[in-house]
Amino acid sequence: MSSRSATGSGSLMWFRKGLRIHDNPALEYASRGSTPVYPVFVIDPHYMEPDPTAFSPGSALAGLNRIRFLLESLVDLDLSLKKLGSRLLVLKGEPSEVVIRCLKQWDVKKLCFEYDTDPYYQALDMKVKNYASSAGIEVFSPVSHTLFNPAYIIQKNGGKPPLSYQSFLKLAGQPSWASSPLSVSLSSLPPVGDTGSCEISEVPTVRELGYEDYEQDELTPFRGGESEALKRLKESISNKEWVANFEKPKGDPSAYVKPATTVLSPYLKFGCLSSRYFYQCLIDVYKNVKKHTAPPVSLVGQLLWRDFFYTAAFGTPNFDQMKGNKICKQIPWNNDDELLAAWREARTGFPWIDAIMVQLRKWGWMHHLARHCVACFLTRGDLFIHWEKGRDVFERLLIDSDWAINNGNWLWLSCSSFFYQYHRIYSPISFGKKYDPNGNYIRHFLPILKDMPKEYIYEPWTAPLSIQKKSKCIIGIDYPKPVVSHDSASKECKRKLAEAYALNQKLNGQVSEDDLKTLRRKLEGDENQESGSKRQRQNPSDLS
DNA sequence: CCAGTGTTGAGCTG
DNA sequence: CAGCTCAACACTGG
């Protein structure tokens, strides 16, 4: 039935991530010696079409900011393909069904797509590969999203992913392509062939997908696409001093006019920018300066972190959950939908935390340390809510949300894996203050507090009523009172984590659901003896 | 068993 | 603003 495909002469280039022309081995292979070449992107309605029941504008899986970023990336890709004599063929439906239908109908002997380690693509690609091999179609699926092949690192380490950065560095060494030129430009592409009865469309607009118009200030200032990525890369590396001296923890999380980092993460996520090309550009800069920073804090160090998390995620079953995840501490997190909603909707009453959550919603991006602050606050620092809940919110709202990196960082921040110093808690009051004593960041993202004097802006509930009136912001009416007292909540969290760690150690990590239930009851019992945190929450003793 | 280490804590001192 | 103390975790390598 499908034998017609096997006799074809063309190739199908399936874009998913890797939305770029430069350093794209799958595209290069597809175009080599094949005519025609069908460049395809499949719009999965589940990912793209509006879900009115979601907590923010967007689909069931993605917030509108990321959907828009993706569409912009596709428009840019289509434009670049057109310049090379081709175009992007946009199809709609369940991706494996659509691709298999195309393979059946078109003149294809090669199917090319970038290898993807995410579980979603592992399952999807299996279906498509199975069909292709049964139909005699060659499949070319190179690793080009990361610097290294995660499977190779895991194999080198005896079947397990390295779980510390230093051991990862040792195993990884220098990338094999470090000093060989990458293919960064194509002069032309073979024409697109007859698409038969398959329904092809242009890249849709958000409006065509069914989204209303949104206020401009509700949307991310970052535009998607390879062109934008390369422009941003060029700007970032043009300042050689800055590149050479880059040290991650030293950036200012409250900088928003000019962010303290490159903001290339969304472009790396969608593959608008090749991490390998970025790496080579950085090495080039290093060669031309006397002295430069090194991993883990340098810019190259950041790319290696990305590979570190990709490798850990690929080699760890159930990486995105606590249960059944061997590297994840089993912790009796609280279930509190009210507190979760307060965090998600930027009404915890801590301006530093809430401003960050507003930036997340509006921009789909915040500084790395800002992410740390809100993640710590939600989980081990204050609210003791499950990291999976926070992960879901980030996964939806971030324009750079990346399965491996997002889950890895939530494991890290909640002290569930990789990092265990749970007594180091970010203060929702003083951490931001040391970077931005005037509270400009808060004033920008929480304009209700714009007239609050700087003495009170990080703790507005301590402002005398006269000051609150003068600032046109009454705490408890115009802006919420804090949902917890940080001092007592963080102490409670530390106590709970100490107990949970002890249990994990005692049971050698084999903590059952019943064990957790028992511990939860014990912790609640202790709490009630100490006069009860529920009452404390409504009327914290140290908040006037 | 022990010392050293770990991308990014807070608060204080000089 | 660097450096120290505080309190203190897991993991690594010898």
Side-chain angles (χ1 to χ4, degrees):
Chain A
M1 215 170 121
S2 52
S3 59
R4 197 162 60 87
S5 303
T7 63
S9 60
S11 45
L12 195 161
M13 170 61 203
W14 182 18
F15 285 98
R16 306 99 62 83
K17 295 175 190 165
L19 302 178
R20 63 174 183 267
I21 305 295
H22 75 281
D23 183 32
N24 192 333
L27 177 62
E28 211 194 329
Y29 188 79
S31 62
R32 204 184 302 144
S34 298
T35 308
V37 172
Y38 298 92
V40 163
F41 186 89
V42 183
I43 287 191
D44 185 344
H46 197 50
Y47 189 92
M48 297 284 234
E49 286 179 1
D51 177 1
T53 68
F55 74 77
S56 78
S59 70
L61 299 172
L64 186 54
N65 270 328
R66 193 166 71 254
I67 291 171
R68 208 173 68 131
F69 193 95
L70 171 56
L71 293 175
E72 286 164 354
S73 301
L74 294 175
V75 167
D76 186 63
L77 181 64
D78 183 38
L79 221 62
S80 300
L81 289 169
K82 280 173 177 158
K83 282 181 194 156
L84 295 170
S86 183
R87 63 167 288 206
L88 188 65
L89 305 171
V90 177
L91 295 104
K92 277 187 192 149
E94 196 288 311
S96 66
E97 285 171 21
V98 172
V99 170
I100 290 171
R101 201 185 321 133
C102 293
L103 291 174
K104 282 181 179 165
Q105 295 192 11
W106 296 348
D107 174 26
V108 172
K109 69 168 176 188
K110 292 193 291 196
L111 169 65
C112 307
F113 56 92
E114 183 177 66
Y115 184 76
D116 199 307
T117 49
D118 291 0
Y120 170 80
Y121 285 104
Q122 290 280 306
L124 179 65
D125 295 352
M126 186 65 78
K127 289 186 220 166
V128 175
K129 276 194 262 189
N130 282 346
Y131 169 76
S133 50
S134 75
I137 296 167
E138 179 193 351
V139 175
F140 181 69
S141 187
V143 174
S144 51
H145 188 63
T146 46
L147 304 177
F148 300 93
N149 183 343
Y152 179 58
I153 304 256
I154 291 165
Q155 188 202 330
K156 230 176 150 180
N157 196 41
K160 283 182 174 179
L163 297 176
S164 79
Y165 188 75
Q166 293 307 328
S167 57
F168 174 84
L169 287 188
K170 264 187 222 163
L171 284 160
Q174 293 294 310
S176 56
W177 41 265
S179 48
S180 48
L182 299 167
S183 157
V184 291
S185 64
L186 285 172
S187 51
S188 71
L189 283 169
V192 173
D194 181 13
T195 53
S197 62
C198 287
E199 205 175 307
I200 309 293
S201 69
E202 295 290 318
V203 178
T205 62
V206 280
R207 197 171 249 286
E208 283 162 356
L209 284 174
Y211 296 98
E212 318 266 314
D213 275 333
Y214 286 89
E215 297 285 328
Q216 193 60 35
D217 80 333
E218 291 296 322
L219 294 174
T220 177
F222 305 113
R223 300 275 75 85
E226 180 183 17
S227 305
E228 188 66 26
L230 294 174
K231 197 173 117 197
R232 208 171 175 91
L233 170 70
K234 212 173 160 188
E235 275 168 18
S236 295
I237 60 174
S238 66
N239 188 343
K240 293 191 166 51
E241 269 315 85
W242 185 82
V243 171
N245 295 321
F246 185 92
E247 260 181 276
K248 188 64 166 271
K250 292 204 172 155
D252 176 357
S254 70
Y256 63 92
V257 177
K258 190 180 183 303
T261 52
T262 62
V263 198
L264 286 170
S265 54
Y267 304 93
L268 290 167
K269 179 245 153 71
F270 284 110
C272 300
L273 174 64
S274 153
S275 62
R276 311 191 297 185
Y277 180 58
F278 188 12
Y279 181 98
Q280 287 196 340
C281 289
L282 292 172
I283 299 296
D284 261 358
V285 173
Y286 291 164
K287 276 183 192 156
N288 294 314
V289 293
K290 279 188 189 132
K291 204 182 126 185
H292 60 83
T293 53
V297 297
S298 63
L299 275 173
V300 160
Q302 306 314 302
L303 284 175
L304 289 160
W305 276 110
R306 178 171 176 270
D307 266 51
F308 169 77
F309 283 123
Y310 263 91
T311 308
F314 185 55
T316 307
N318 302 315
F319 188 72
D320 61 350
Q321 54 188 61
M322 180 174 84
K323 281 183 208 160
N325 181 346
K326 281 207 166 68
I327 68 166
C328 180
K329 290 251 182 284
Q330 304 298 303
I331 294 165
W333 301 109
N334 289 342
N335 245 328
D336 192 323
D337 289 342
E338 249 174 77
L339 283 177
L340 174 66
W343 177 81
R344 191 178 60 210
E345 286 152 28
R347 43 182 176 81
T348 67
F350 291 92
W352 172 246
I353 299 298
D354 292 339
I356 295 167
M357 294 306 286
V358 171
Q359 190 186 18
L360 169 61
R361 206 169 271 257
K362 290 195 171 184
W363 287 28
W365 183 91
M366 327 82 105
H367 185 274
H368 187 66
L369 288 177
R371 300 181 193 203
H372 278 214
C373 287
V374 294
C376 178
F377 184 86
L378 179 73
T379 57
R380 67 183 169 86
D382 291 86
L383 304 186
F384 212 69
I385 288 173
H386 205 306
W387 60 269
E388 291 170 15
K389 304 275 186 177
R391 181 274 320 277
D392 289 342
V393 172
F394 272 30
E395 189 165 288
R396 177 177 185 81
L397 294 177
L398 284 171
I399 54 173
D400 61 17
S401 75
D402 182 303
W403 187 82
I405 299 169
N406 191 33
N407 281 291
N409 276 308
W410 277 96
L411 283 163
W412 186 295
L413 259 297
S414 64
C415 279
S416 297
S417 196
F418 307 113
F419 175 81
Y420 306 97
Q421 286 165 267
Y422 58 76
H423 36 84
R424 291 193 180 172
I425 291 173
Y426 293 90
S427 164
I429 296 150
S430 53
F431 188 82
K433 209 186 274 181
K434 72 184 170 201
Y435 296 96
D436 180 16
N438 191 45
N440 296 336
Y441 177 82
I442 292 169
R443 290 173 212 280
H444 180 80
F445 288 106
L446 288 176
I448 185 71
L449 286 164
K450 72 178 174 5
D451 295 321
M452 188 63 68
K454 67 171 195 283
E455 290 74 20
Y456 305 106
I457 192 157
Y458 285 88
E459 304 166 89
W461 62 91
T462 64
L465 195 57
S466 61
I467 301 275
Q468 294 183 26
K469 280 182 180 155
K470 215 173 138 197
S471 311
K472 296 182 286 294
C473 180
I474 309 298
I475 302 308
I477 297 171
D478 303 308
Y479 181 73
K481 290 180 181 168
V483 290
V484 290
S485 145
H486 174 64
D487 281 348
S488 54
S490 58
K491 277 197 190 98
E492 270 295 281
C493 285
K494 283 188 247 187
R495 192 179 65 82
K496 289 176 180 170
L497 273 168
E499 297 254 15
Y501 269 38
L503 183 67
N504 276 264
Q505 196 167 50
K506 190 178 126 199
L507 301 177
N508 204 12
Q510 302 292 307
V511 182
S512 71
E513 249 171 274
D514 276 350
D515 297 328
L516 273 189
K517 227 179 255 172
T518 308
L519 178 58
R520 193 173 278 118
R521 259 200 300 274
K522 178 177 183 292
L523 291 171
E524 274 162 15
D526 295 350
E527 229 172 81
N528 291 336
Q529 268 173 17
E530 283 167 35
S531 92
S533 74
K534 284 238 162 64
R535 242 181 52 217
Q536 213 167 26
R537 182 195 301 159
Q538 279 158 9
N539 188 15
S541 51
D542 54 337
L543 313 171
S544 49

